[in-house]
Amino acid sequence: MYIVMVSAELAPVAKVGGLADVVFGLSRELEVRGHAVEIILPKYDCMWHDEIWGLHKIWENLWVPWYGSGISCSVWFGFVHGRKCFFIEPHSQDNFFHRGSFYGFHDDPLRFAFFCKATMEFILKSNKRPDIIHCHDWQTGLVPVLLYEIYARLGMDRQRVVYTIHNFKHQGVTGEAVLWATGLCRPEYYFHHDRLLDNFNHTAINLMKGGIVYSNYVNTVSPHHSWEARFSDQGYGLEQTLAIHHYKFGGILNGVDYDVWNPEIDRFIPSHYNVWNVEGKYGNKDALRDRLWLRKEYKPIVAYVGRLDAQKGVHLIQHAMFYALERGAQFVLLGAGGDRGINNHFWHLKHYLNDNSDCHMEIGFNEQLAHLIYAGADICVVPSLFEPCGLAQMIAMRYGSVPVVRAVGGLVDTVFDRDHSDRPLEERNGYVFHDADFRGIESALSRAIGLWFDYPKEFRRLISNAMSADYSWGQSGGHYLAIYEATRCR
Ligand code: ADP
Ligand code: GLC
C-alpha cells in the first residue's frame, strides 16, 4: 500500500509531544512491513535540522491558491532517520512557519489551513496517488474536507482518508476566513450541523469536526479514550458528532518505537542495559545525579517528563514533588508548556527549590535529557486529568522506571496496579490511582516509594514486569493496516 502521512509534527525534527513520536514510529512500522510511506510537514524554521539527511529543494514555485490569489511555495525533500519527508515552505509575508516556535500564534488555524491546502496542491500536482492519506489532529482536519469537496473532482477520487485524533482539547475553532482562503467559500454550506459548524459556537467552524465528518475512518489513540470521548465529557463537545459517525470511529493504542526508545542501544545514555541486566540502569542514575547536581544517597528518584499543561494535572505534579521529598525520595522534573501562567508558576517553584540537593527542575524541551531521566529514574509519575494515550508511561516502563499513573485514557489500557489489578501478577507493572486529588496521588506514590525502600526485591520484580510489557508498534501497526485495507478504494 502507498500511504501519505500529513502531520504538523514528526520526531525528532519537529516535536512538541507524543504526536511527533507516533507519526515517526507508525511510519517506520509500516515501512518495515513493506509499505510505501511518505510524510508531509511544514518547513518550520525551528526544526532540528541536524536530524534531516540530504535536505534539498525538489519543487520551486508550487502555486497554492489562497484567497483570490495564491502563494508560491518551495517543497523540500529529506530523510529523517530513514523516513521520506516532504517539507512545504511558503513564500509570503505571513511567514506562516518562520516564527521561532511551532504553535501559539493568533492565526494558528489559518497557518495550518494553508498547510492543508498546500499539501493537497502538492499531492495533486506531483501526481501522487496514495491509497491512504493519514491525517493527524486538528491541524490537518481540513485535508479530507478539501479532498472531498474540491480535489476528488480534479483527479483524486480514489484517495481515502484515515484521521487520527490525538487530543480532543485542541480542535481549531475559527471563523469563516479559512473557507475563503482555501477556496471552499460558501459559508452557508459549511456553517451547517452536518458539516463544519462548531457544536457550541454557531458563529464558528471547527476543523477537527470537519476531519471527523469527511474522513473515511476516524480513531483516537487508545480503546479506553475512544469510550471516554463518546460517553463522558472528554470529547470536548464533539460527543454528538462522534455518536453520529460512530460506525467509522474506534480506538487504536499507540505504540512506542523500540528502536528509538531502547535502553540497550540508546545513544543518549551512558550505561546500556536490558531486563536481564537491570544493574546497568544504575550507571544512568549516577549520571543523572551528576548532570543535575543531585546528591548521591540511597534514595529513589521520582520523575516527571512531559508538557506543563492543565491536561497533565499540574497541581498533582507539584504535589507529587513535595510528597516525594517528604518521603525521602528525590524528584526530577523536565517540562515545558505553552501556557505562560503555568510556566511562570514552575519557574517560581524552581527558584524556591534551588538549593535543594534532592530536587531538580528543568524547564524547557530537551530530548537527550528526557532519555537520561527515563533511564535514571526509579519511578515516573503521570497524574493526568485526561490522557488520550500517553507515551511517557510506556517509555518509562521500557526503561524500567515504574509508572505511577491516574486511571484515565490510555493509562488505563497500559498500566496495571501491582496491588489491586485483576491481571496475573507478572502483568502488573505499576501503580494506579483514581481521584485527581492529593489523597489519590499519595495513595499510589506512597506504595511505590514504600516498596522501593522496604522490599527492594519486590521492586526489582516490578521493574522486570514493566520492562517485559510489549508496547512496541507490532500490534498497533497491524491494527492500522487492517483499517487501511478496509478503507482503501479497490
Ligand atoms: P503528550 O503528547 O500529551 O505531550 P505523551 O506522553 O503522549 O504526551 O508524549 C510526550 C512525549 O514528549 C514523550 O516522548 C516525552 O518524552 C516527550 N516530552 C514531553 N515534554 C518533554 C520535554 N520537556 N523535553 C523532552 N521531551 C519531552
Ligand atoms: C496527545 C495526547 C497523548 C498521546 C499523544 C500521541 O498529545 O495528549 O495522550 O499519547 O497525543 O498520540
Side-chain angles (χ1 to χ4, degrees):
M1 242 182 297
Y2 174 19
I3 300 126
V4 167
M5 297 274 172
V6 188
S7 172
E9 296 185 29
L10 177 75
V13 291
K15 171 166 166 175
V16 174
L19 165 63
D21 297 281
V22 168
V23 175
F24 183 89
L26 174 59
S27 300
R28 191 215 295 267
E29 176 68 22
L30 296 169
E31 277 188 53
V32 167
R33 289 170 180 243
H35 302 280
V37 183
E38 293 170 346
I39 306 169
I40 303 181
L41 298 147
K43 187 169 185 295
Y44 303 102
D45 57 348
C46 51
M47 287 193 304
W48 191 359
H49 283 88
D50 295 357
E51 302 283 308
I52 311 176
W53 280 261
L55 186 64
H56 65 284
K57 208 181 272 183
I58 55 146
W59 199 301
E60 197 90 70
N61 280 329
L62 173 78
W63 185 251
V64 178
W66 192 242
Y67 287 106
S69 170
I71 294 178
S72 165
C73 295
S74 304
V75 182
W76 298 68
F77 177 83
F79 288 99
V80 174
H81 294 262
R83 308 286 77 71
K84 295 191 183 101
C85 300
F86 296 91
F87 301 94
I88 292 177
E89 180 188 32
H91 304 290
S92 86
Q93 288 180 345
D94 300 301
N95 269 333
F96 284 138
F97 306 118
H98 280 246
R99 308 262 181 107
S101 58
F102 300 107
Y103 311 121
F105 305 97
H106 72 280
D107 59 345
D108 278 356
L110 215 53
R111 294 169 67 220
F112 290 100
F114 179 80
F115 172 57
C116 294
K117 183 73 182 173
T119 293
M120 294 312 292
E121 283 295 316
F122 175 56
I123 296 179
L124 178 76
K125 291 184 179 154
S126 59
N127 275 323
K128 293 180 184 299
R129 295 296 179 266
D131 298 295
I132 297 291
I133 301 177
H134 190 159
C135 298
H136 299 267
D137 266 353
W138 73 268
Q139 300 90 327
T140 60
L142 222 45
V143 165
V145 184
L146 290 166
L147 177 67
Y148 187 84
E149 297 284 0
I150 299 180
Y151 289 84
R153 270 173 283 125
L154 303 179
M156 291 177 59
D157 55 336
R158 296 177 64 79
Q159 281 51 63
R160 297 293 177 263
V161 178
V162 170
Y163 182 51
T164 300
I165 296 174
H166 299 259
N167 202 321
F168 280 97
K169 192 175 169 191
H170 307 285
Q171 301 182 356
V173 176
T174 183
E176 69 179 71
V178 159
L179 299 175
W180 295 110
T182 54
L184 289 166
C185 308
R186 293 195 291 161
E188 66 292 349
Y189 176 74
Y190 292 104
F191 276 70
H192 188 285
H193 277 295
D194 296 342
R195 298 192 185 87
L196 271 63
L197 181 69
D198 186 69
N199 293 346
F200 289 97
N201 180 350
H202 289 178
T203 63
I205 54 168
N206 182 317
L207 303 182
M208 180 172 276
K209 179 173 169 183
I212 296 172
V213 171
Y214 281 85
S215 293
N216 302 92
Y217 187 80
V218 182
N219 75 293
T220 186
V221 286
S222 70
H224 191 69
H225 192 59
S226 72
W227 182 90
E228 291 170 338
R230 277 205 59 195
F231 301 113
S232 76
D233 57 358
Q234 292 195 27
Y236 280 88
L238 288 173
E239 296 81 5
Q240 197 199 353
T241 309
L242 293 175
I244 295 170
H245 296 273
H246 67 94
Y247 61 93
K248 60 170 187 181
F249 176 63
I252 301 179
L253 190 70
N254 283 335
V256 168
D257 189 323
Y258 279 0
D259 285 325
V260 174
W261 299 103
N262 181 351
E264 283 181 288
I265 52 168
D266 192 320
R267 61 186 165 138
F268 298 130
I269 64 174
S271 173
H272 291 146
Y273 61 102
N274 58 29
V275 66
W276 300 283
N277 162 30
V278 179
E279 286 311 319
K281 181 170 168 62
Y282 301 106
N284 300 307
K285 188 166 179 175
D286 270 351
L288 182 62
R289 284 172 159 164
D290 284 340
R291 175 142 174 205
L292 303 182
W293 306 286
L294 295 175
R295 61 177 158 171
K296 289 184 177 161
E297 285 201 352
Y298 183 72
K299 289 165 180 251
I301 298 181
V302 180
Y304 173 80
V305 178
R307 290 181 295 118
L308 297 176
D309 183 285
Q311 168 188 347
K312 302 292 177 182
V314 280
H315 65 299
L316 299 177
I317 298 169
Q318 174 177 332
H319 189 71
M321 181 162 71
F322 286 109
Y323 182 73
L325 294 175
E326 191 187 308
R327 287 289 306 267
Q330 295 184 320
F331 196 92
V332 169
L333 175 142
L334 169 62
D339 182 297
R340 195 187 297 169
I342 296 177
N343 254 339
N344 285 345
H345 181 73
F346 277 88
W347 272 109
H348 279 121
L349 276 177
K350 181 177 166 69
H351 288 135
Y352 174 70
L353 289 161
N354 207 20
D355 298 329
N356 191 324
S357 50
D358 282 327
C359 183
H360 185 93
M361 297 169 67
E362 192 75 22
I363 298 175
F365 189 91
N366 188 330
E367 185 77 25
Q368 289 102 322
L369 181 58
H371 284 247
L372 184 60
I373 294 176
Y374 288 120
D378 299 284
I379 295 166
C380 278
V381 289
V382 190
S384 307
L385 301 187
F386 74 94
E387 196 62 81
C389 179
L391 300 179
Q393 81 284 8
M394 297 198 273
I395 299 172
M397 284 191 261
R398 177 73 167 150
Y399 284 77
S401 299
V402 170
V404 171
V405 308
R406 182 153 175 264
V408 281
L411 300 167
V412 171
D413 293 316
T414 52
V415 182
F416 310 109
D417 192 280
R418 176 183 179 274
D419 305 319
H420 304 306
S421 167
D422 51 10
R423 295 251 171 171
L425 283 178
E426 66 279 9
E427 287 178 22
R428 301 185 190 180
N429 51 15
Y431 291 94
V432 180
F433 64 97
H434 291 263
D435 296 334
D437 56 22
F438 293 168
R439 273 180 56 189
I441 190 159
E442 283 179 18
S443 72
L445 192 51
S446 69
R447 288 185 289 134
I449 295 174
L451 194 76
W452 191 94
F453 275 118
D454 301 335
Y455 300 96
K457 273 196 180 146
E458 286 299 313
F459 196 86
R460 282 288 286 271
R461 187 169 303 171
L462 201 52
I463 291 180
S464 164
N465 289 357
M467 291 185 80
S468 309
D470 180 4
Y471 293 119
S472 64
W473 273 105
Q475 278 215 348
S476 308
H479 290 316
Y480 275 106
L481 271 175
I483 298 293
Y484 295 164
E485 266 307 335
T487 309
R488 72 193 278 202
C489 179
R490 285 163 206 286

